[in-house]
Structure formats: C-alpha cells, structure tokens
C-alpha cells in the first residue's frame, strides 16, 4: 500500500507555497518522497525548513506569476536543473474584497493573471513536458468553494476560481488519452493569513462555525493527504473532479 502513495523519485512543482495551504501541500508531497520545486514571489525559507523537518528537499524558483516572461524563465530553469517534472500543483492565488461597483480593473487583471492564466500556462507546459517524455503526469489545481458559490464582494476571485474548475474539466478531457490526470481541490474555511480577518472576528466567523459539521476550521496540514493522493498512483483512475476539503461545509 505504501508504494501506491509513494512519490519517491518524483519532482513536484508547487506554486504559491510560501505560506498557508501551499506550504501544507509542499510538506505532504515531501513526506511522500517528492522533491518540491517551489515557485513563489515570496520568501520560501520557512517552507524549506518545514519540508526539511520531514526529511524532504525543496528547490526554490522565484517567480512573478502575473508576468508571462517570469513564468517561462522559472519553468525552463526548473526543468533544466532537475531534468523532469512529474507533478504540477497550481496552488498560487490572490484575493481582493471589494464591491463590484468599484472593483479596480488593474486588480482584476492581476487576479486573472495569477489565479487563472498562470495555472493554464503552467498546465500547458506540463502537458507538453509529460507527453514528450512519455510520463503519466499529474496536474492538480487549487480551486475553491467559490468555484461553485457566488460569494459577496469577491467577484474577481469567484470568477477566476470558476474558471479554474472549468479548466480542470476541459484539460482532463484532452489529456486523459495521454495518461495525464487533471484534478482540483476546493478548500473550505482554512486558518491562513488570507482568512485571518474573518477568523479573528467572532461575529464574522459565526455563520461558518455554525455550518461546519466537523466542528472546526481547517489548517494547512489538512491538505497533506489529499495532495499526496492526487499526485500519486493511488488516483490513476480519477480525473476531471474537484474534491472539497472543507470539513463538510458544502454537504450541510
């Protein structure tokens, strides 16, 4: 059974893993034996320490995912230095809370670039890489509950996360004949810097607390297992799906 979930000998490229959910994903993949190729605009030293504490290795590739040239450079360097990529985990994302009446165009452009376009372009690069080398690669995207919910004052974010789910389904259809699985995870309410303002406000948090069957908010560590599952041979017959990691929130 351990071999089914093993990622030994695999290189897993993870975007947006300097903090939060991305760090949990990186640590989980490292526990399973993968070398983590970390792409982020932020400092990766704490994630490196977390990966090394579980006996793993992390190689950092600074990148501005809103810029196509930066993505090209980081991808080419990662492939050149490591020889191959076996798993792509498109996790990076940004959010902006503001009414649709005043939502700034420049912010919308950046959210679209980081949350959707970067994930699409990296998936395109990974797909070509896998096919050229005959790999049964894995692509995993971080979607959101807002891939299916509307939300309030997060219209830019919601639109991009809806696009991530549609992209997951579309690419899974095209890439399945090549043995490539494309899936997504949908985080619920997770304790990270992104949700700090809600979590630390008891009044804002109450509706979420009351709807969570599992009785608590999630943590980045809750993503280790699902990341390994979707990156490993254990999920070889699963593609085109989005798995909620939400403590039962959507089931309620």
């Amino acid at each position: 059974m351990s071999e089914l979930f093993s990622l030994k000998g695999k290189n897993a490229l993870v975007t947006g893993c300097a903090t939060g959910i991305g760090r949990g994903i990186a640590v989980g993949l490292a526990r399973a034996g993968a070398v983590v190729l970390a792409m982020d605009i932020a400092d990766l030293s704490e994630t490196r320490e977390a990966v090394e504490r579980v006996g793993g290795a992390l190689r950092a590739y600074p990148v501005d995912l809103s810029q196509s040239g930066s993505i090209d450079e980081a991808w080419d360097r990662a492939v050149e230095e490591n020889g191959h990529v076996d798993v792509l985990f498109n996790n990076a994302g940004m959010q902006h809370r503001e009414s649709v009446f005043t939502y700034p165009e420049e912010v919308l452009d950046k959210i679209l670039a980081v949350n959707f376009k970067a994930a699409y372009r990296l998936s395109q690069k990974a797909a070509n890489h896998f096919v050229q080398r005959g790999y049964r690669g894995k692509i995993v995207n971080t979607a959101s509950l807002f891939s299916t919910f509307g939300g309030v004052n997060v219209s830019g974010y919601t639109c991009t996360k809806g696009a991530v789910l549609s992209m997951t389904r579309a690419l899974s259809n095209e890439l399945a004949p090549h043995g490539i699985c494309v899936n997504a995870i949908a985080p619920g309410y997770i304790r990270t810097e992104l949700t700090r303002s809600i979590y630390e406000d008891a009044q804002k948090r109450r509706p979420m607390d009351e709807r969570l069957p599992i009785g608590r908010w999630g943590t980045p560590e809750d993503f280790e297992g699902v990341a390994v599952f979707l990156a490993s041979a254990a999920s070889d017959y699963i593609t085109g799906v989005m798995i909620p990691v939400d403590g039962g929130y959507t089931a309620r």
Side-chain angles (χ1 to χ4, degrees):
M1 181 60 72
S2 61
E3 292 180 5
L4 194 61
F5 292 89
S6 175
L7 296 176
K8 289 182 180 178
K10 306 286 188 181
N11 292 327
L13 193 158
V14 186
T15 67
C17 58
T19 60
I21 292 170
R23 183 180 296 170
I25 289 167
V27 171
L29 298 176
R31 282 188 197 276
V35 173
V36 177
L37 312 181
M39 285 191 179
D40 208 308
I41 197 170
D43 179 53
L44 286 157
S45 58
E46 291 186 12
T47 300
R48 184 191 302 279
E49 291 172 5
V51 164
E52 290 177 350
R53 278 197 298 270
V54 299
L58 180 146
R59 297 166 189 167
Y61 295 90
V63 62
D64 181 351
L65 290 170
S66 70
Q67 302 297 318
S68 292
S70 183
I71 293 171
D72 293 339
E73 182 181 347
W75 172 268
D76 290 344
R77 185 180 158 208
V79 172
E80 180 181 355
E81 293 182 358
N82 298 281
H84 59 94
V85 174
D86 306 279
V87 177
L88 169 64
F89 217 120
N90 288 307
N91 172 73
M94 59 177 293
Q95 188 185 92
H96 177 75
R97 294 183 177 274
E98 188 167 339
S99 167
V100 66
F101 292 105
T102 56
Y103 212 92
E105 182 179 2
E106 63 274 15
V107 174
L108 178 61
D109 286 343
K110 189 163 187 178
I111 288 178
L112 285 166
V114 173
N115 293 12
F116 173 67
K117 186 179 178 182
Y120 185 92
R121 293 195 68 244
L122 283 169
S123 296
Q124 193 175 41
K125 289 175 180 294
N128 279 291
H129 179 78
F130 296 156
V131 170
Q132 289 166 7
R133 288 160 177 77
Y135 294 161
R136 293 177 59 86
K138 299 295 182 83
I139 298 173
V140 188
N141 303 310
T142 298
S144 170
L145 296 188
F146 291 107
S147 294
T148 52
F149 292 2
V152 178
N153 292 332
V154 288
S155 56
Y157 179 81
T158 294
C159 290
T160 61
K161 289 304 183 178
V164 167
L165 175 55
S166 292
M167 176 184 73
T168 299
R169 291 169 172 165
L171 297 190
S172 73
N173 289 334
E174 290 195 49
L175 299 180
H178 300 281
I180 301 167
C181 296
V182 186
N183 293 294
I185 59 171
Y189 286 94
I190 313 300
R191 292 189 63 177
T192 66
E193 286 299 315
L194 193 66
T195 60
R196 179 188 290 272
S197 62
I198 298 175
Y199 186 82
E200 293 184 347
D201 186 320
Q203 185 173 354
K204 289 181 180 178
R205 199 181 78 214
R206 186 173 297 112
M208 296 77 169
D209 289 349
E210 291 174 348
R211 183 169 169 166
L212 278 166
I214 209 166
R216 66 172 177 84
W217 281 42
T219 67
E221 291 76 18
D222 289 315
F223 290 83
E224 292 188 25
V226 69
V228 172
F229 172 61
L230 291 176
S232 69
S235 59
D236 277 353
Y237 200 63
I238 298 174
T239 194
V241 304
M242 181 176 75
I243 299 177
V245 186
D246 65 355
Y249 188 89
T250 51
R252 178 63 65 88

